[in-house]
Amino acid sequence: MTRKSRRIALSAAIGTLLLMCSSCIDEQHPGTYYIYNGYTIASRLEEQSDEFSEFIKVLKHSSKNLWGGLQTYGKNTCFAPNNDAIAEFLRQRSEKDKKAYTSVDDLPMELIDSLAENHLVEGVTCYVGEMPEGAFQKVNRLDRYLLLNFDSVKYQVEDGQTKNRLARCVNKFSRIIIADDTCENGVIHEIDRCIDFTGNYVYDLISNNPNTTLFFEALKKTGLLSTLNEYYDTAYQIGADSIGSRSKVELHASTRNYQLQFWEHRKTCFTIFVETNQVFAQNGITDLESMKEYAKRVYDDIYPDAAGIDDPTNPQNSLNRFMAYHILPELMGYSNFNTRSDEIDYFSAEITDPEDYFETLAPNSLMRISTDVTSDNPQKRVYINRQGKEGNGSTEFKGDFEPGIEILSPSSMGDVEQIAMNGIMHYIDKVLVYDRNVREVILDRRLRIDAGTLSPDFITSGARGAYTGGDNKTSIGFKDPKHYYSYSNSYKIHLRPVEESTNTYEGDAVDIEGMFDIYVKLPPVPHDGTWQLRVSFRALENYCGIAQYYMACVPHGQSVRRDGWSPLGLPCDLRVNLDDVNVGWIDDDELDGQDAIDALDKSMKNRGWMKGPDSQMTQNNRSHRAENHQGRCIISTEYMLANMDYYLRFKQLLDKQDAQYCFDYIELVPKTVYDGYEDKH
């Protein structure tokens, strides 16, 4: 078969594949994708050795036995640079090293190993045919994050006209020529340039960019560069028999068996929202002094006690707050802020946008990130601190529309490197601040926060929003994830991925099994006031236990004392559905009109319960509100302070070693919402 005929056959196969795919980053589903029967990645590359002979040498020469691994069963993603790409790599390395590399045979072993591992992702099959722009679910074998972005490419058609087509690229510059060439042990994507990384740390991306010089100068001035040096937690260790496909840890969660694969390395990564010099200039910020003045005007108003702090390295200083509010302590690509693209489609777009809330590096600060699912832009635009059609959770909302800060997509950023070893950079279109309007107006709303968002580990690992299909289900386990603490070792905690028919918010849930006694740091409330705390409720008669909730409040940065907990109400029996007589749940369809529905909601709320939200649907097109085994439990209503740290503790009371607890989301709701006309969304 000629190269041209192979391309035609493959194009037809990919066309079929794109019609059949249901997820953008997916584990292999036998029978779902076009598969060359009998081909492994290794044999498929050899079958096209006229294009990949140099890359085959790289894989065979590597000291890591990578070629052998690609000959056997497994799940792998191979970004295969063709011979032209390898030739260009050799030319560039020859210039850099002042040596003549005419073939990969001339390369030192260290460079061969890194070249090979840079192009392989182990343990997952990543298809790009329907994947939106954003970070891949899993790092490559060199533990580096990969980014998918789109580009417009000109090409000639038969009539001599020049037209554009969409091209997919890895890390901005490696264009995918042929995508989703599926084999029995994974998938191959042919690329026209070797994947390379020019900077180790996320601030290298900013320092090397001529359009972000002012932002980088402010990072240096505030001392935040030293924070951005973090990456590996060298004290973290996990046994080899708990990692990846080698894991021997199994558990039963939500009626299914899972192989629990623990996160191998604990990493600290960052997401940085960056204004370019041009965006700053549009707001009168042209140098460091004008930036200081701008920050002082914003933050002295809401933190008057810190107005006299002139040291820019002090976290209370206005310039430091200004810069720190741009930084999140986890790594998220453009399509990873809320939930996966297919899960977004299960939100009722006429009711609310997919949203989540993230604590930044600025002390006790919060930002809302939402995806505009009704946008005409097919990429579904993403915004910070936007207030749109969903208001604040009240049917009587009369507030103004707040457009928010748009996060630019990778394509909109152009040829700018975005992703590094320990983080990612996103351009934003306006100056980002945590001012009085954000705190007291935009964030004076029902804050519904996915449990997978409460720990940076869940996000940076790629477990939040992950998907594993087929019968062989896996789940990502964690050993002491950040922001989670425990008084007991007799439990397992993991982030369970979405199932084919899910009732979980945003498609995943933190599952805990055993005799747990765990507490988790809550995000800060944006302003002082009376707030209601709710916890998602999910019952499963034969699998769950009984949970007791507690809360603690400590000054920012301090630890919780063992005797500092206050119990919140009576224990919650997770084995009993909400239609129990003590709760009183009745399906809306069984009630006589809206007045009866509202009356039942009020009756349940007086007892400390609420139905699930109707703004998200299950995959069998049922509203979460229509499920009698899930809802919301009101566990606290009290005055909370924006400058304090709050912790929620949940303890297993039932003596049952395999009892489960599904921790899906929390809600923090201000009095202006819960005491008014709160809706059912």
Side-chain angles (χ1 to χ4, degrees), residues 595-615:
D595 288 345
I597 292 173
D598 293 343
L600 179 67
D601 282 354
K602 184 175 181 180
S603 173
M604 286 181 59
K605 201 169 181 180
N606 289 338
R607 301 181 191 189
W609 297 94
M610 295 179 68
K611 292 183 177 181
D614 67 356
S615 56

Side-chain angles (χ1 to χ4, degrees), residues 292-319:
K292 288 180 182 178
E293 293 172 5
Y294 187 99
K296 192 168 180 63
R297 286 197 302 271
V298 171
Y299 290 104
D300 284 2
D301 173 47
I302 51 180
Y303 302 106
D305 293 343
I309 299 176
D310 295 325
D311 179 6
T313 65
N314 188 319
Q316 307 298 323
N317 171 266
S318 57
L319 180 63

Side-chain angles (χ1 to χ4, degrees), residues 266-280:
R266 173 181 282 163
K267 291 172 276 191
T268 299
C269 291
F270 304 93
T271 298
I272 305 182
F273 302 109
V274 179
E275 296 97 339
T276 62
N277 298 339
Q278 292 79 6
V279 171
F280 277 137

Side-chain angles (χ1 to χ4, degrees), residues 590-633:
E590 299 177 20
L591 296 169
D592 186 16
Q594 190 61 49
D595 288 345
I597 292 173
D598 293 343
L600 179 67
D601 282 354
K602 184 175 181 180
S603 173
M604 286 181 59
K605 201 169 181 180
N606 289 338
R607 301 181 191 189
W609 297 94
M610 295 179 68
K611 292 183 177 181
D614 67 356
S615 56
Q616 189 176 21
M617 312 297 288
T618 66
Q619 291 187 353
N620 56 1
N621 206 34
R622 284 177 59 84
S623 163
H624 284 201
R625 182 176 168 84
E627 301 288 343
N628 70 351
H629 63 284
Q630 68 175 40
R632 292 167 276 182
C633 178

